[in-house]
Amino acid sequence: MSHSCLPTRLPCGSRVLDLSRPHVMGILNVTPDSFSDGGSYTQRDKALRHAAAMVEAGATLIDVGGESTRPGARSVSPNEELERVAPVVAAIARELDVVISIDTSTPAVIRECGRLGAGLINDVRALRRDGALDAAADSAMAVCLMHMLGEPGNMQDNPSYGNVTAEVEQFLCERMEACRLAGISAERIVLDPGFGFAKNLDHNLVLFKHMDELHRLGRPLLVGVSRKTMIGQVLGRDVSQRLYGSLALAALAVAKGARIIRVHDVAETVDVVRMIAAVETAD
Ligand code: PT1
């Protein structure tokens, strides 16, 4: 299926995302640093101001994450995760005109954030945790199903594929079927190849090149490559020097039909995406 015949309307709780054009999702991490003030007013206010700046810069989704899922990250308890993200989700829902995405695999977090006004469940585990399918089915939120094998703690230990694109497609197809059986309609689903999740550099590059094949599944694609190791490996750049590499991949992902691009550098990516959209909608 070519991406030109993909659905253009994604229901996200009480909001609808118009996918006839590509969107930029801004990353909002609410994982406390070493000077931990998790759950404090300062942390909440800082997160809200960062979210507001990203919306001002053109982000139409904000992805709120309270558990790091980068390679090697450790997991946090559901209560700790909820204490971090719930106040931030509530504040964004109150103050900003934006779809709130919640980067979580935890059923209690899915349920509470849905109640607080979140519009999309962004689950790197594709609703495989116990109770996650039911929590999603009981909500009206959209769902992003991402490909990963194993857990963030061990996923980069020698990942191996015969045909990475075919295996990612098969996995996503199976998770869509699990959603269907749980009562989550296909109209709510977005798919993500999961760059940097259980994939080495070659896997990431081949999968990126062929990601348009995933459109056979009939659902919009979300892509997250911002500042990732694959860019550092190709360019020999430290994480602070990966903006141009990230923008190149954002442009290429949109050219291949991806509809949501998850990034740290919102203003820069919005220019890239708007320029491509202007050309693609010309006639
Ligand atoms: C992603 C994603 C995500 N990435 C979605 N959610 C992260 N839907 C968190 C590295 O190689 O791509 N899609 N949530 C961040 N995870 C990583 C993974 C960060 C790998 C960095 C790397 O550097």
Side-chain angles (χ1 to χ4, degrees):
M1 186 190 285
S2 126
H3 60 81
S4 54
C5 52
L6 282 169
T8 60
R9 229 188 81 99
L10 183 72
C12 298
S14 60
R15 292 169 179 271
V16 175
L17 202 62
D18 167 22
L19 291 181
S20 64
R21 64 176 182 89
H23 290 260
V24 173
M25 167 189 273
I27 299 169
L28 187 66
N29 285 319
V30 288
T31 46
D33 56 23
S34 45
F35 307 96
S36 175
D37 61 352
S40 75
Y41 171 77
T42 329
Q43 166 120 348
R44 179 184 326 188
D45 194 49
K46 211 176 136 213
L48 181 60
R49 277 184 287 118
H50 185 198
M54 291 194 287
V55 171
E56 183 67 24
T60 43
L61 305 100
I62 298 293
D63 190 39
V64 182
E67 182 199 20
S68 176
T69 52
R70 333 174 127 256
R74 64 167 198 91
S75 62
V76 301
S77 77
N79 275 342
E80 197 177 339
E81 192 189 342
L82 197 54
E83 275 173 30
R84 289 178 189 176
V85 299
V88 174
V89 169
I92 296 174
R94 188 174 352 100
E95 303 286 342
L96 302 176
D97 180 20
V98 71
V99 173
I100 301 169
S101 161
I102 172 80
D103 195 340
T104 191
S105 304
T106 312
V109 175
I110 292 172
R111 289 185 188 279
E112 180 61 10
C113 291
R115 210 181 56 76
L116 291 171
L120 187 148
I121 304 159
N122 174 27
D123 184 4
V124 301
R125 295 177 184 81
L127 303 179
R128 284 178 293 166
R129 273 209 184 140
D130 273 354
L133 280 167
D134 288 337
D138 290 344
S139 83
M141 290 183 277
V143 175
C144 178
L145 300 174
M146 196 197 77
H147 175 270
M148 171 173 66
L149 300 177
E151 281 288 312
N154 64 18
M155 67 182 176
Q156 292 305 98
D157 305 352
N158 201 25
S160 161
Y161 300 89
N163 177 333
V164 64
T165 316
E167 287 170 45
V168 167
E169 180 181 355
Q170 181 61 35
F171 172 94
L172 293 174
C173 187
E174 285 169 18
R175 294 316 297 159
M176 283 179 70
E177 177 62 8
C179 283
R180 193 185 66 75
L181 294 172
I184 301 166
S185 72
E187 287 64 43
R188 292 168 58 190
I189 293 175
V190 175
L191 301 174
D192 184 337
F195 293 106
F197 289 89
K199 294 163 194 87
N200 65 26
L201 177 60
D202 285 349
H203 298 144
N204 285 314
L205 296 176
V206 169
L207 181 59
F208 204 103
K209 184 173 180 176
H210 298 289
M211 81 166 95
D212 46 324
E213 292 175 17
L214 299 174
H215 285 128
R216 283 198 290 245
L217 296 170
R219 300 304 307 157
L221 296 185
L222 186 157
V223 166
V225 282
S226 185
R227 301 181 186 173
K228 283 187 180 174
T229 304
M230 64 184 287
I231 297 167
Q233 288 168 321
V234 170
L235 301 180
R237 301 260 187 254
D238 172 81
V239 66
S240 66
Q241 300 294 318
R242 295 178 188 166
L243 174 60
Y244 299 151
S246 299
L247 294 177
L249 292 185
L252 197 49
V254 171
K256 288 178 181 292
R259 277 301 183 240
I260 304 176
I261 312 295
R262 179 184 182 275
V263 302
H264 302 89
D265 303 289
V266 171
E268 294 87 344
T269 311
V270 165
D271 272 8
V272 165
V273 163
R274 282 181 53 205
M275 200 64 236
I276 297 170
V279 172
E280 291 195 338
T281 56
D283 63 344

